[in-house]
Amino acid sequence: MSAADIHLTDAEQHAATALQHHFDNMEQQRVAGTLGMWVFLITEIMFFGGLFTAYVLYRTLNAASFAAGSSGLNVKMGAANTVVLICSSLTMALAVFYAQTGSRRMQIIFLLVTWALGATFLVVKGFEYAEKFRDNHVPWLNFQWEGKMPPGASVPSIRMFYWIYFVMTGLHAFHMIIGLGMLGFLIYFAWRGRYTPEYHAPVELGGLYWHFVDIVWIFLFPLLYLLGANLTH
Amino acid sequence: MSAADTPIDPLNPVMPDPSALPADSPEWRVKFPHVNYINAHYGIKSWLLTKDHKRIALLYLASVTVFFALGGAYAIAIRLELLTPPGDFVQAHTYNKLFTQHGIIMIFFFLIPSIPAVLGNFLVPLMIGAKDLAFPRINLLSWYIYIAGALFTIWALLNGGIDTGWTFYVPYSTSFSNTYVVVAGLGIFITGFSSILTGLNFIVTIHTMRAPGMTWFRLPLFIWSTYATSLIMVLGTPVIAITILLVALERLAHIGIFDPRLGGDPVLFQHMFWFYSHPAVYIMVLPSMGVVSEIVATFSRKNIFGYSFVAFSSLAIAIFGFLVWGHHMFTSSQSVYASMIFSFVSFAVAIPSAVKVFNWTATLYKGSISYDTPMLYALGFIGLFTMGGLTGLFLAALGMDVHLTDTYFIVAHFHYIMVGGALMGYMGGLHYWWPKITGRLYPEGWGRFSALVIFVGFNLTFFPLFLAGYMGMPRRYHAYAEEFQVLNVMSTAGASILGFGLLIPGIYFLWSMRYGKFAAPNPWPATGLEWRTLSPPPTENFASTPIVTWEAYEFRPIEEMEVIGPAPEQSSRPVPGLTTT
Amino acid sequence: MAEHIVSRKVYFVIFGALIFMTVVTYFAAQIHFQREAINTIIALAIAVTKATLVILYFMHVRYSPRLTWVVVTAGFFWLAIMIVLTLSDYLTRTQSAMPGIK
Amino acid sequence: MQIPLPKIDLPRLPFTPEQASTIAGHVDALYLYLILITLFFSILVVVLIFYFAVRYRRRTPDEIPPPVEGSLVLETVWTITPLLIAMTIFVWGASLYFALYRPPTDATEIFVVGKQWMWKFQHTEGLREINELHVPVGAKIKLTMTTEDVIHALAVPAFRIRADVVPGRYTYLWFEATKTGRFHLFCTEYCGTNHSGMNGWVVVQDPAEYQAWLSGGASESPAAQGEKLFQSLGCASCHKMDVQGRGPMLIGLYGKPQKLDNGQEVIADDAYIRESILDPQAKRVLGFGSVIAYIHSLAAPQGGGTANTAAPASGSTTTSGIAPDTQRSNPVGPTSPRTQRNTGGAMQPANANANTPRGTPPP
Ligand code: HEA
Ligand code: HEA
Ligand code: CUA
Ligand SMILES: [Cu+2]
């Protein structure tokens, strides 16, 4: 859509001090920001996509090993983390809602809750990594496999599974950390009262990013954890 | 004499210098006809912290030029080594570093950023009638990211370089090479983000910032091709990023995703690498195609024949370009059936290129053609790209590629497209927009002369390599068999002519920045919005948001093409060539 | 186009659905189906549904201009290109791996 | 082998490769077809450009020609025509590809192992060669190939064949030579420092000559036998005839002074040469220090490197004194995947020592 389609009253425009000089009006600025975020998110899809491709390929070639490797993961923790992330997505969505409706207090509260949930996720992840370390399942440190060995499985391929597990979840955790930083930034400015119903694009864009990170996990959970769940008993 | 009342002579649209100021006098900037983006602020800080897309374009221009000269120096060293069959000029491992670094620098640090980041940055907002790109800060950031990546790479070069070939094939790059693979890889990884952010910025800008009346089908074709290029940057670059990350992890921690000893598959690397790197070749050539469309229209004063076909062919190339990567892997032990798919689509993707070539040619029909330097480059582009593209068909033909892959035929193919095509387009574009960018004219005679020298030198350098390739001379060879020598001597001779030819514009561009004649707002004259503001444009491009009521490439007498100049108070003296403000 | 504000109720409904599906996928994974593939298919189908809900509602795509739809679809479509064409090589290979390597 | 595709026999023109296999003529026919297409379109475009540029040159500076609208008919024509032409190339190229990569079932198998930076061949009769492959003319040969370290590619331009050799898997090539002679054999996938040195010759012989070669050619002169040993033991992969390989050039060495890395000079007499072969470390030629370190690593137990295998065999002072049967004594380790059982699979890429990363690479 071009600038011509957009009409706002002068009052609306001047209300927003946040209008950058090169945009004609707030609506144009908001649309540009949202589109920019979405385009950024597709680059993220492709970034994780390389790993998903490797995963799908080796999973196809070594199904048994991947199932075996997967049975060594802690499904309970994975599931718990899934729930934590879904909750955080809800709270993030609500934070955006309160930004849109102009409730500073609720907005800050929900941003804080989101932050706390994100941190919880990372803590759980930390416990999981520690458990992998104890079980000697960390490939570059101490990899040994005494777990399930269904027919057709082989230790190198199981090791590969753990590599993919660590790279994928590690990259995901890295995105979570960036997300926490971003939330901190939003909390600070929300506290300063910067976001109004007219101008809250950062909260909205932050929300998009946060949900994206959630979606990545929504796929990681079944692909990594659930694969071998039925091997454990 | 006041310039304002001098009528513009359409024969010689160059205005008489209004100021009659010695160009090197200390106040020349202050007294320059108007306040523009160059003289609006002073000092190094005003450049390094600028958010003006035009200044950022100049930052890129300076940096890619440095890298081009560096890559060219490597090329000269390569050609010197190949003058004689035995490896006598440099040692084998040095030679391997030469072509690797030549390839990496030319591709990642010169050609990919060249047209998009220099001309694209400068022109996209101007052409669509916007004040700036959608995200000026991100634009500046992407230049810094580029520089950071470049510094890493230079660090790798200074420490002893890298010898994997620009393709980084595993397991050589992960387990065998003991050169600075990770550092150089990191450089490319980082630079990738620069390219992603630039592409993102363009996409958003083109979607949301067009001036009133600037509908999609009134956009200049350069915008279409930049848009298509940006799609590739956004969709492809992340994949090379993750691939390089995996190579680095494999090297540092032996993760084994590509290593056969650990159960991995080296061919997977090739899939992931080419998933980006084939589309990337279209990142390199599409912007040039856009430039050529602009130039051909302007210098034949004709609307581009089949505008919408040319526009959509850019998109088609960008999209189908993602389906052909396996044509680099026909002999890699890839499945023969997959090879067939990739070969088939490779032929399909040649069709939109063919459409473009024919439409450019048809545009000339019944035109009013002049032979200024940009036009010479554009016509050179069409011829050389056609040859480069058609030899691409040899390679896309499965049984033929088996004989030709990894020979000098490949080297000749891609230099025809990347040097004969993309580089010529870039040179043409630089000449074409030089008056707009600097407000000065380059010397036309030297321009034409060097264009011819470059054309001749280029063909002499790379044509013999087709023959050497068909005879079987393998690429990346430090020493080669006797029977290839004649051809290689010709090539080296050509390279020296080519290098000389390239040096000339290097010199006169620098010269013209200071001593060139002042340029009118619309010296050629051309139709795009960028020609309706001053040369050089003021900081926010137009005094008021332009309202577009004309179609793309609608040529009219120059008097009818009003200039949307700066606000009167910005202008310190009457601006020549301004019919209206 | 002005911004569309999604009501809180929608958010809670979607949240409920997501949690429900997480529980389902967890238990479905414990079941030993005759064919392994069924487990995978269930898990993936649920994951896709969950992701779609998040995208449509939490990320407001349902209420966004067509361009956003195009962008989202393009992202997943390109990922599919990469995976499918890569697999088209591996799944149709006739040349053997070295014994004992894979 | 009959291939149902067009074929031409090229006379030997300048700058064309020799045609020495059954498939070469077929590839050249496609090549010719592609050249004609290229010429046609290039000339078409160039001629049109020139013609228009002259015919419609700008005559007055302010002339503005009337705009020409596009033409759907033309657009369709020049979309469909190239598409059709392209499809003919596709079909032709693909059929050729299948012919190239589908080995006939009755072919004789030869095993090939690439490693940095040499080619090792093993004939089914057990004979091994390095960087040289002897084959009889008119026989169908199937190459079963793999590599010990990185990816290489075997190419014989005169036969128009090529395939990558990939660690962890076998790849195949086949050919039927139609001419006797020596033909270049190249490694064409970049594989590291001495990639350009990883080449050699395919020697196509008359069947009778080939049989004689197979049985060892006992009646040759000592120098000729020595040359064969020099080839088959892999000396030639480091000591090149024409270019500086990893070892010093040996041409013109005998009897001349040689500079050592400790600054001294020695006369390259029989004793020195013998010592150099047995113990490369003893007197080092200037500029080869790191290679010595490498040769040392070759002496490691499972490596079966050239240097230490050749040593016990050389009972006399000249190379020709090495007993001819060392040719069979596995100087470079087993080459063929088939013989891997009896030799403990030392050449398996999975455990060959050459396959472990060399030292710690810089970051
Ligand atoms: C800007 C860069 C660029 C561009 C645009 C292209 C364009 C094309 N390339 Fe090229 N290519 C490279 C850069 C480029 N290439 C590089 C760098 C490599 C080597 C990488 C490496 O290994 O280091 C390479 C390698 C390469 C290979 C792999 C060879 C090998 O390693 O074995 C193949 C195989 O199919 C190929 C094919 C093509 C084709 C079909 C096109 C097509 O898009 C061309 C389309 C254009 C035309 C066809 C001309 C115009 C048409 C007409 C005038 C009408 C007539 C047309 C018909 C009859 C169809 N290229
Ligand atoms: C954009 C891409 C690009 C460009 C422009 C070039 C330009 C040139 N290349 Fe390039 N080349 C590659 C990309 C490019 N190359 C790639 C990707 C490879 C493969 C690498 C690999 O195998 O890994 C390759 C490989 C390659 C080889 C094969 C090496 C081998 O396989 O062993 C050769 C050999 O002749 C060669 C030669 C040249 C020459 C003579 C030029 C000439 O055109 C260079 C001309 C330029 C100059 C001579 C500079 C001099 C001019 C100035 C200094 C003035 C400038 C100054 C100012 C403007 C102020 N190149
Ligand atoms: Cu082996 Cu190149
Ligand atoms: Cu390609």
Side-chain angles (χ1 to χ4, degrees):
Chain A
M1 98 205 37
S2 71
D5 310 338
I6 294 160
H7 297 289
L8 282 187
T9 65
D10 276 6
E12 277 173 315
Q13 295 206 12
H14 292 297
T17 51
L19 181 65
Q20 286 175 296
H21 74 101
H22 59 291
F23 287 112
D24 287 339
N25 54 48
M26 286 308 284
E27 180 63 10
Q28 190 189 26
Q29 177 170 333
R30 193 183 70 81
V31 169
T34 315
L35 180 60
M37 192 62 186
W38 274 108
V39 173
F40 175 71
L41 293 184
I42 20 182
T43 71
E44 289 276 24
I45 293 181
M46 296 311 286
F47 190 68
F48 278 100
L51 289 173
F52 277 107
T53 308
Y55 170 88
V56 172
L57 175 64
Y58 291 124
R59 155 104 207 255
T60 316
L61 299 179
N62 316 311
S65 306
F66 269 48
S70 170
S71 70
L73 297 184
N74 190 328
V75 191
K76 295 220 170 59
M77 283 199 194
N81 255 347
T82 312
V83 172
V84 168
L85 270 195
I86 290 177
C87 291
S88 82
S89 258
L90 175 71
T91 56
M92 188 71 215
L94 289 172
V96 174
F97 175 83
Y98 288 112
Q100 288 169 333
T101 52
S103 161
R104 173 168 162 261
R105 215 174 73 96
M106 296 300 275
Q107 185 190 333
I108 295 176
I109 290 179
F110 276 107
L111 284 175
L112 281 171
V113 175
T114 312
W115 196 96
L117 288 168
T120 313
F121 177 93
L122 286 177
V123 170
V124 175
K125 196 85 238 158
F127 278 116
E128 259 191 271
Y129 282 169
E131 188 184 281
K132 297 282 124 6
F133 181 74
R134 269 201 312 282
D135 295 350
N136 292 335
H137 286 170
V138 187
W140 73 102
L141 293 177
N142 55 9
F143 194 77
Q144 275 169 33
W145 185 253
E146 277 110 28
K148 294 266 180 324
M149 262 304 207
S154 73
V155 175
S157 298
I158 296 177
R159 201 184 100 106
M160 166 98 84
F161 172 83
Y162 275 93
W163 260 121
I164 293 183
Y165 164 79
F166 274 104
V167 176
M168 283 181 124
T169 57
L171 213 56
H172 178 262
F174 178 71
H175 278 78
M176 292 289 295
I177 293 171
I178 293 186
L180 291 186
M182 172 202 80
L183 282 173
F185 172 91
L186 292 180
I187 292 167
Y188 173 73
F189 282 104
W191 180 68
R192 295 266 306 264
R194 181 129 165 85
Y195 304 127
T196 60
E198 287 77 38
Y199 174 71
H200 52 262
V203 188
E204 206 179 304
L205 302 188
L208 288 181
Y209 176 84
W210 192 260
H211 297 308
F212 171 80
V213 178
D214 182 18
I215 290 176
V216 173
W217 183 259
I218 285 179
F219 282 104
L220 288 185
F221 173 59
L223 289 183
L224 295 174
Y225 289 78
L226 295 184
L227 206 51
N230 58 31
L231 284 179
T232 40
H233 35 234
Chain B
M1 180 184 82
S2 162
D5 38 57
T6 317
I8 306 282
D9 175 6
L11 211 178
N12 174 21
V14 181
M15 292 153 285
D17 182 346
S19 57
L21 250 182
D24 53 355
S25 76
E27 312 90 340
W28 77 277
R29 276 189 168 197
V30 188
K31 301 221 172 129
F32 198 76
H34 61 275
V35 178
N36 60 52
Y37 77 102
I38 298 177
N39 65 12
H41 305 280
Y42 293 96
I44 187 97
K45 232 176 96 182
S46 78
W47 284 90
L48 292 183
L49 297 179
T50 181
K51 279 178 258 148
D52 185 342
H53 66 103
K54 299 181 286 301
R55 285 186 157 214
I56 295 172
L58 290 195
L59 293 178
Y60 269 113
L61 176 61
S63 14
V64 301
T65 306
V66 169
F67 276 103
F68 177 65
L70 185 57
Y74 283 126
I76 294 297
I78 293 175
R79 286 309 334 161
L80 280 178
E81 167 62 67
L82 295 178
L83 197 54
T84 53
D88 40 14
F89 177 60
V90 291
Q91 300 255 297
H93 64 100
T94 314
Y95 180 80
N96 297 343
K97 288 176 183 169
L98 287 180
F99 68 71
T100 303
Q101 288 158 187
H102 167 69
I104 289 179
I105 285 178
M106 284 298 200
I107 287 194
F108 294 107
F109 294 95
F110 168 65
L111 200 49
I112 287 181
S114 65
I115 298 187
V118 179
L119 298 178
N121 247 328
F122 194 90
L123 293 167
V124 167
L126 277 169
M127 282 183 162
I128 66 174
K131 292 184 191 146
D132 205 323
L133 286 175
F135 309 114
R137 256 176 303 186
I138 289 185
N139 197 18
L140 179 63
L141 177 69
S142 80
W143 181 72
Y144 276 102
I145 294 179
Y146 170 84
I147 292 297
L151 288 179
F152 267 99
T153 308
I154 288 179
W155 174 28
L157 301 188
L158 291 182
N159 266 282
I162 160 171
D163 76 341
T164 58
W166 83 279
T167 48
F168 292 96
Y169 272 20
V170 299
Y172 182 70
S173 65
T174 52
S175 314
F176 289 85
S177 172
N178 43 26
T179 53
Y180 284 75
V181 180
V182 174
V183 183
L186 208 60
I188 293 169
F189 179 85
I190 295 173
T191 314
F193 286 96
S194 156
S195 164
I196 290 177
L197 293 179
T198 305
L200 186 153
N201 224 333
F202 287 163
I203 291 181
V204 175
T205 308
I206 296 172
H207 269 288
T208 62
M209 315 259 304
R210 280 171 287 124
M214 183 55 97
T215 59
W216 281 93
F217 290 100
R218 282 177 176 171
L219 287 173
L221 287 164
F222 179 76
I223 298 290
W224 276 95
S225 66
T226 306
Y227 183 77
T229 309
S230 308
L231 289 182
I232 305 178
M233 288 175 162
V234 161
L235 289 164
T237 319
V239 178
I240 189 86
I242 190 74
T243 311
I244 291 180
L245 197 68
L246 288 178
V247 167
L249 280 176
E250 185 122 6
R251 232 178 130 75
L252 300 173
H254 309 289
I255 70 174
I257 286 185
F258 301 136
D259 190 335
R261 279 170 301 142
L262 302 173
D265 188 314
V267 179
L268 177 63
F269 169 84
Q270 298 176 23
H271 280 293
M272 292 174 67
F273 179 84
W274 291 115
F275 181 88
Y276 165 75
S277 294
H278 178 80
V281 308
Y282 296 118
I283 296 183
M284 304 178 223
V285 85
L286 274 172
S288 274
M289 292 172 155
V291 169
V292 167
S293 301
E294 297 298 315
I295 296 178
V296 167
T298 297
F299 293 93
S300 51
R301 297 228 175 118
K302 279 274 304 295
N303 56 330
I304 289 286
F305 192 88
Y307 172 97
S308 52
F309 284 88
V310 178
F312 280 117
S313 62
S314 294
L315 288 186
I317 290 176
I319 292 168
F320 288 109
F322 274 98
L323 306 177
V324 308
W325 76 80
H327 70 203
H328 295 269
M329 301 164 60
F330 288 159
T331 63
S332 71
S333 83
Q334 171 179 253
S335 133
V336 287
Y337 302 101
S339 291
M340 272 182 65
I341 300 176
F342 287 123
S343 164
F344 181 85
V345 191
S346 302
F347 283 107
V349 83
I351 304 305
S353 304
V355 169
K356 277 182 195 278
V357 169
F358 294 132
N359 277 307
W360 290 322
T361 313
T363 304
L364 301 176
Y365 175 67
K366 290 201 172 160
S368 160
I369 299 166
S370 71
Y371 316 121
D372 299 276
T373 313
M375 188 62 162
L376 296 185
Y377 279 111
L379 297 181
F381 172 100
I382 300 176
L384 298 178
F385 171 76
T386 302
M387 280 199 62
L390 286 165
T391 51
L393 299 183
F394 288 57
L395 307 174
L398 288 160
M400 197 68 237
D401 182 66
V402 171
H403 176 59
L404 294 175
T405 188
D406 278 315
T407 66
Y408 265 80
F409 196 92
I410 310 284
V411 175
H413 155 68
F414 66 71
H415 282 92
Y416 258 77
I417 295 195
M418 299 205 296
V419 183
L423 182 66
M424 297 295 158
Y426 176 62
M427 294 298 289
L430 268 188
H431 283 86
Y432 180 53
W433 283 291
W434 192 253
K436 183 55 65 184
I437 295 174
T438 61
R440 303 278 185 153
L441 298 177
Y442 60 84
E444 185 60 41
W446 282 106
R448 294 183 194 178
F449 171 69
S450 60
L452 289 179
V453 173
I454 290 174
F455 185 83
V456 171
F458 169 81
N459 281 295
L460 185 55
T461 312
F462 293 108
F463 192 81
L465 298 184
F466 280 124
L467 302 175
Y470 192 66
M471 283 172 77
M473 175 172 171
R475 66 190 280 205
R476 296 173 170 176
Y477 260 33
H478 161 242
Y480 57 88
E482 299 279 349
E483 63 255 42
F484 306 121
Q485 184 171 12
V486 179
L487 294 167
N488 275 288
V489 170
M490 285 160 77
S491 176
T492 303
S496 51
I497 298 177
L498 176 59
F500 170 70
L502 284 166
L503 215 55
I504 304 175
I507 294 167
Y508 67 63
F509 274 150
L510 283 174
W511 175 88
S512 80
M513 284 203 264
R514 205 141 230 260
Y515 305 105
K517 286 193 201 145
F518 286 118
N522 192 354
W524 300 121
T527 60
L529 264 183
E530 78 270 29
W531 302 107
R532 301 212 175 190
T533 183
L534 303 174
S535 304
T539 299
E540 288 199 340
N541 299 345
F542 302 95
S544 58
T545 308
I547 297 175
V548 182
T549 53
W550 55 90
E551 300 302 316
Y553 311 113
E554 195 180 309
F555 281 87
R556 283 182 290 170
I558 186 159
E559 296 79 18
E560 288 175 31
M561 301 204 259
E562 52 159 0
V563 171
I564 307 152
E569 72 272 12
Q570 268 189 306
S571 178
S572 58
R573 58 164 61 224
V575 179
L578 268 184
T579 45
T580 342
T581 24
Chain C
M1 173 177 324
E3 195 179 8
H4 182 281
I5 298 182
V6 184
S7 80
R8 272 172 293 182
K9 204 172 116 220
V10 173
Y11 287 145
F12 283 112
V13 171
I14 298 300
F15 173 73
L18 290 175
I19 294 290
F20 173 72
M21 280 189 274
T22 308
V23 174
V24 172
T25 196
Y26 179 83
F27 286 107
Q30 319 292 326
I31 305 170
H32 212 108
F33 287 101
Q34 211 59 48
R35 301 190 46 198
E36 298 261 314
I38 295 184
N39 270 330
T40 316
I41 290 170
I42 293 180
L44 275 183
I46 292 182
V48 170
T49 321
K50 281 162 76 178
T52 314
L53 288 181
V54 173
I55 292 174
L56 286 183
Y57 294 96
F58 284 179
M59 298 171 93
H60 306 165
V61 168
R62 171 95 202 272
Y63 315 100
S64 301
R66 223 182 48 224
L67 182 60
T68 314
W69 288 79
V70 174
V71 172
V72 178
T73 333
F76 287 100
F77 183 68
W78 251 257
L79 177 57
I81 290 179
M82 176 157 61
I83 294 179
V84 170
L85 279 182
T86 304
L87 285 185
S88 83
D89 169 11
Y90 288 88
L91 299 185
T92 59
R93 281 202 182 167
T94 45
Q95 290 164 348
S96 52
M98 302 252 291
I101 283 293
K102 180 60 56 44
Chain D
M1 172 122 172
Q2 226 39 51
I3 297 160
L5 286 172
K7 167 174 183 177
I8 54 162
D9 295 317
L10 281 183
R12 192 69 209 272
L13 303 168
F15 306 130
T16 55
E18 215 164 329
Q19 290 180 329
S21 75
T22 46
I23 204 106
H26 297 285
V27 176
D28 289 344
L30 176 55
Y31 186 62
L32 194 69
Y33 178 61
L34 281 158
I35 286 190
L36 292 180
I37 292 175
T38 305
L39 281 182
F40 174 76
F41 281 104
S42 307
I43 292 177
L44 180 75
V45 169
V46 171
V47 166
L48 280 181
I49 287 181
F50 264 99
Y51 174 72
F52 289 156
V54 174
R55 171 81 176 68
Y56 301 113
R57 67 186 175 277
R58 188 167 298 171
R59 284 156 210 269
T60 55
D62 48 1
E63 106 184 312
I64 293 183
V68 174
E69 290 315 313
S71 145
L72 196 62
V73 178
L74 270 180
E75 299 286 349
T76 319
V77 168
W78 64 49
T79 309
I80 301 292
T81 319
L83 187 67
L84 291 180
I85 297 178
M87 286 308 119
T88 61
I89 311 175
F90 165 68
V91 171
W92 191 342
S95 345
L96 195 55
Y97 188 65
F98 277 94
L100 272 161
Y101 277 138
R102 208 177 273 148
T105 41
D106 55 345
T108 315
E109 202 167 8
I110 294 180
F111 296 101
V112 183
V113 176
K115 77 176 246 190
Q116 281 178 329
W117 291 281
M118 59 171 81
W119 290 105
K120 300 189 274 188
F121 301 96
Q122 181 170 10
H123 297 255
T124 26
E125 294 83 357
L127 203 67
R128 291 189 178 81
E129 311 181 66
I130 293 215
N131 289 348
E132 229 180 35
L133 174 63
H134 287 75
V135 291
V137 69
K140 287 169 208 151
I141 308 284
K142 173 182 172 191
L143 303 177
T144 298
M145 312 187 292
T146 190
T147 160
E148 286 181 14
D149 36 46
V150 302
I151 301 177
H152 305 272
L154 185 83
V156 186
F159 296 170
R160 314 284 190 277
I161 56 166
R162 158 179 353 239
D164 281 14
V165 294
V166 182
R169 91 153 33 101
Y170 295 126
T171 53
Y172 308 93
L173 268 183
W174 79 273
F175 61 89
E176 179 183 333
T178 52
K179 265 191 198 149
T180 56
R182 283 162 71 80
F183 305 104
H184 275 298
L185 167 152
F186 294 121
C187 171
T188 61
E189 189 62 77
Y190 176 66
C191 54
T193 309
N194 209 17
H195 163 61
S196 64
M198 189 167 164
N199 51 38
W201 300 93
V202 179
V203 183
V204 182
Q205 299 171 310
D206 284 334
E209 222 181 301
Y210 177 71
Q211 278 313 321
W213 176 83
L214 267 188
S215 50
S219 58
E220 285 173 86
S221 70
Q225 284 180 30
E227 186 192 344
K228 200 170 277 172
L229 277 175
F230 194 79
Q231 291 296 341
S232 66
L233 293 180
C235 314
S237 66
C238 294
H239 299 285
K240 305 252 164 214
M241 289 301 147
D242 39 4
V243 296
Q244 192 60 280
R246 277 183 302 178
M249 277 206 261
L250 298 181
I251 292 177
L253 167 74
Y254 186 75
K256 300 275 163 53
Q258 175 68 291
K259 278 204 177 56
L260 300 183
D261 69 347
N262 56 12
Q264 290 174 341
E265 264 189 18
V266 290
I267 299 294
D269 53 12
D270 285 355
Y272 166 74
I273 285 175
R274 180 162 192 272
E275 188 189 56
S276 288
I277 298 172
L278 295 181
D279 181 8
Q281 182 70 344
K283 297 198 181 72
R284 276 177 285 160
V285 179
L286 192 60
F288 289 91
S290 59
V291 187
I292 309 288
Y294 169 61
I295 295 178
H296 265 234
S297 77
L298 293 183
Q302 73 277 51
T306 312
N308 62 339
T309 329
S314 39
S316 103
T317 50
T318 59
T319 37
S320 59
I322 300 174
D325 57 0
T326 38
Q327 209 170 338
R328 302 266 161 73
S329 72
N330 192 11
V332 287
T335 312
S336 109
R338 216 174 250 177
T339 51
Q340 115 216 355
R341 242 171 308 111
N342 25 359
T343 53
M347 278 305 171
Q348 277 288 313
N351 38 24
N353 69 334
N355 210 17
T356 39
R358 305 258 161 75
T360 325

